[in-house]
Amino acid sequence: MRRTLFAQDHEDFRLLVRDFIAREVLPEYEDWRRAGLVPRELFTALGKLGIIGTAIPEEYGGGGQDDYRFNVVIQEECARVGVTLGGLRTHLDIVVPYFTGLADAGQRERWFPGLASGELYTAIAMSEPGTGSDLAGIRTRAVRDGDHFVLDGAKTFITGGHHADLVIVVARTATDPDDRRAGLSLLVVEKGMAGFTVGRKLEKIGLAVQDTVELSFDAVRVPAANLLGEEGGAFTHLGRNLAQERLAIAVGAVAQTRNAIDLTIGYVRDRTVFGKPVAHFQNTKFELAAMATELEAAQTLLDAAVTALVAGELSPADAAKTKLFCTETQGRVVDRCLQLHGGYGYILESPIARLYADARVTRIYGGTSEVLKTIISKSLGL
């Protein structure tokens, strides 16, 4: 089906991103995968080309294009060649919108030039040991002491935390026994602050290039000037950005599903069994026909959601529906693609095996499928 989501500016940007990936990423990607980490210099290189700062206002050196479709292009181009840069997605799709939406004038002057140039790379620290999706259960605390907050606590599953220069930390600055959601604030912790420690890198089933770490805060003195948004307003701030966060995961899910199908079509055409290509068997044709149909359904739903987001009309329930459908589709389709690869599909050097491993987490982070169903059911009055 013909897509109408993008304008010429987006397609021009696509060519820029595609060229960058071919020159700067693909030749080094296997080394990064083995190391389990991308080099910090990648983000500076992206900044020099203007790829990483599209949403930052022009007066700070950015592109002044607050249009999520540019972010979609980046994910699609990465997935097209089997590259997974989850830390980049987290920085652009999830963290930067907090800065552009909440930073005051002083914070903009301090941080926006670096965000535009790639000299500042970001992460967000929400999840804690034992809390998972229950943000109201956050125990990390920040106590006001003059013109500082004293921050204590621990965070886990933090994407991009290894390299991050700025980490938005969700912390409890007040306690209301009758409302666990009240009293949460967003504090920007800067690399090098005393008491801030980046812990171990967590080993995962998939997403080998995406660093996922633990962070700890031991009496970190965070200037009150690093409070992002209103004190006690974090739950509201987080809720406003959740729609885009969930959509970002859906974008990656659909793009990676398309890559899985393309890989499988190529494989079954070349692979011979019982004297003829696997593509000649009726089961292969039917399976791929069904998968292609599911992909187009997911793409259509996703493009409609992206259009709504750009127009400022995407509801939390619709974002939940989109992530739920697209990630569940990804799980089913990639599994069936691996099946058509046979034993080769189970070997980690196989691209389909990596896609299979990477796909599993999309139904967990950004809101599990079960949490999303709860949100959707509430929108139905249930």
Side-chain angles (χ1 to χ4, degrees), residues 33-365:
R33 191 179 69 82
R34 284 189 288 269
L37 192 68
V38 301
R40 175 62 182 84
E41 294 76 20
L42 172 68
F43 306 105
T44 307
L46 287 164
K48 287 180 179 178
L49 282 180
I51 293 174
I52 207 169
T54 56
I56 303 299
E58 290 181 288
E59 58 263 39
Y60 301 104
Q65 298 286 340
D66 189 14
D67 182 345
Y68 180 67
R69 288 173 291 183
F70 288 103
N71 296 25
V72 174
V73 167
I74 294 173
Q75 283 215 66
E76 289 185 347
E77 286 305 304
C78 286
R80 188 181 65 84
V81 291
V83 168
T84 303
L85 299 176
L88 176 61
R89 181 191 64 198
T90 299
H91 170 78
L92 290 177
D93 295 6
I94 299 173
V95 189
V96 167
Y98 286 104
F99 284 100
T100 56
L102 298 173
D104 60 30
Q107 292 168 340
R108 286 176 171 242
E109 291 290 338
R110 291 166 56 200
W111 295 326
F112 278 24
L115 292 175
S117 68
E119 293 173 9
L120 290 179
Y121 174 64
T122 66
I124 187 164
M126 291 187 277
S127 298
E128 296 183 1
T131 61
S133 298
D134 181 18
L135 295 181
I138 282 176
R139 296 181 180 179
T140 297
R141 295 189 57 81
V143 178
R144 189 66 179 258
D145 181 22
D147 57 359
H148 285 77
F149 288 93
V150 180
L151 179 67
D152 289 280
K155 299 289 184 178
T156 192
F157 308 140
I158 309 306
T159 297
H162 181 86
H163 284 317
D165 304 288
L166 304 175
V167 181
I168 299 176
V169 179
V170 185
R172 192 168 296 283
T173 51
T175 301
D176 182 347
D178 298 321
D179 186 357
R180 294 191 309 148
R181 297 186 176 192
L184 294 174
S185 301
L186 304 179
L187 296 175
V188 179
V189 176
E190 302 177 44
K191 179 182 286 188
M193 285 184 169
F196 170 38
T197 304
V198 177
R200 66 190 179 110
K201 185 164 68 71
L202 302 172
E203 298 298 325
K204 307 180 295 298
I205 292 174
L207 299 177
V209 177
Q210 176 176 310
D211 66 298
T212 305
V213 301
E214 297 174 326
L215 304 178
S216 64
F217 310 93
D218 182 11
V220 180
R221 293 186 64 82
V222 183
N226 283 24
L227 174 69
L228 196 61
E230 297 180 7
E231 183 173 347
F235 216 94
T236 299
H237 300 326
L238 293 168
R240 289 173 182 165
N241 278 349
L242 269 177
Q244 180 164 310
E245 176 180 350
R246 287 169 175 158
L247 201 60
I249 297 169
V251 168
V254 172
Q256 289 153 23
T257 301
R258 186 174 299 280
N259 184 33
I261 292 176
D262 289 343
L263 286 171
T264 304
I265 291 172
Y267 180 81
V268 299
R269 282 175 172 164
D270 294 337
R271 172 69 167 151
T272 300
V273 177
F274 303 124
K276 60 182 179 181
V278 175
H280 286 191
F281 291 94
Q282 185 182 66
N283 178 69
T284 303
K285 295 176 181 179
F286 282 9
E287 282 288 280
L288 283 164
M291 287 188 275
T293 303
E294 289 187 70
L295 171 62
E296 291 306 319
Q299 188 73 76
T300 300
L301 178 64
L302 176 63
D303 285 358
V306 171
T307 300
L309 178 72
V310 172
E313 299 171 352
L314 183 65
S315 70
D318 285 343
K321 291 175 185 176
T322 304
K323 180 183 183 291
L324 176 66
F325 186 83
C326 292
T327 57
E328 292 289 340
T329 297
Q330 179 191 23
R332 289 192 305 272
V333 170
V334 175
D335 180 78
R336 288 150 73 189
C337 285
L338 188 149
Q339 185 72 17
L340 287 175
H341 278 74
Y344 179 66
Y346 198 66
I347 305 303
L348 274 178
E349 69 181 28
S350 166
I352 196 65
R354 298 175 192 175
L355 283 168
Y356 179 85
D358 291 350
R360 189 58 188 90
V361 75
T362 64
R363 287 169 278 167
I364 298 173
Y365 63 14

